[in-house]
Amino acid sequence: MWKCPKCGKEFKNTNQSHYCGEKPKTVEEYIMRQDSEKQADLLTIRQALQQSLPEAEERISWGMPTYWKKHNILHFAASQKHIGFYPGPQAVVQFEKELKNYSTDKGTIRIPYGKVDTDLIKRLPYGARAQEIMHKCNIPDTKQKIYDICWKFF
């Protein structure tokens, strides 16, 4: 067991990444608590999501930045070597070809620092969920309809 010299918490892994003290209350506070070299990429993701999801509420959920409207839309979090981006399993499947250069698991995309693709980040929240709804409702595919439909169902 490893004990953090700052807060005294114990962990299985040596130098386990964690928060010493109180968890952040806002997304801005979360980003500002990260190492300075990670902040630029986290701010880039935040700005892309604010543009892509203008009606979503930013909040901290599960200790990480979350975009929410009636339910959690997605989360992201800083890790030592990458940003964990959590848009859900459908988005990972739908964007499989575009994500080939990233490490992925069910619902998880690991984005290395310095490799943030803002255009992809902006599309990920809409992709799979909108396509699923449009397919079930026999609605033709257009970007504006995807946006409109997502906000009706989010």
Side-chain angles (χ1 to χ4, degrees), residues 7-132:
C7 66
K9 291 180 185 175
E10 292 189 0
F11 299 93
K12 282 186 191 178
N13 299 324
T14 302
N15 295 321
Q16 173 70 43
S17 178
H18 68 284
Y19 289 112
C20 292
E22 193 174 324
K23 291 186 179 184
K25 291 179 175 47
T26 67
V27 173
E28 183 175 0
E29 184 181 345
Y30 176 92
I31 292 171
M32 301 292 47
R33 287 189 183 187
Q34 305 306 316
D35 297 336
S36 58
E37 63 272 6
K38 297 176 182 176
Q39 289 178 9
D41 283 342
L42 295 168
L43 286 168
T44 298
I45 288 175
R46 181 185 188 202
Q47 290 167 349
L49 292 172
Q50 287 173 328
Q51 291 170 10
S52 180
L53 300 167
E55 297 175 39
E57 176 187 332
E58 281 187 329
R59 55 170 64 175
I60 298 294
S61 183
W62 298 89
M64 62 186 128
T66 300
Y67 286 79
W68 187 91
K69 184 173 181 184
K70 299 181 185 175
H71 63 84
N72 290 334
I73 300 169
L74 60 81
H75 312 273
F76 68 93
S79 295
Q80 287 184 349
K81 296 181 182 180
H82 66 271
I83 298 166
F85 194 79
Y86 310 101
Q90 292 173 329
V92 174
V93 169
Q94 171 133 359
F95 290 93
E96 180 180 15
K97 288 180 185 175
E98 292 175 82
L99 295 170
K100 67 182 178 202
N101 295 324
Y102 298 99
S103 170
T104 61
D105 282 318
K106 185 178 179 182
T108 302
I109 303 165
R110 290 174 199 83
I111 303 169
Y113 291 105
K115 306 276 185 184
V116 176
D117 179 344
T118 54
D119 291 330
L120 181 59
I121 295 294
K122 288 177 184 179
R123 289 188 321 229
L124 281 165
Y126 293 104
R129 183 72 178 127
Q131 295 296 334
E132 175 189 333

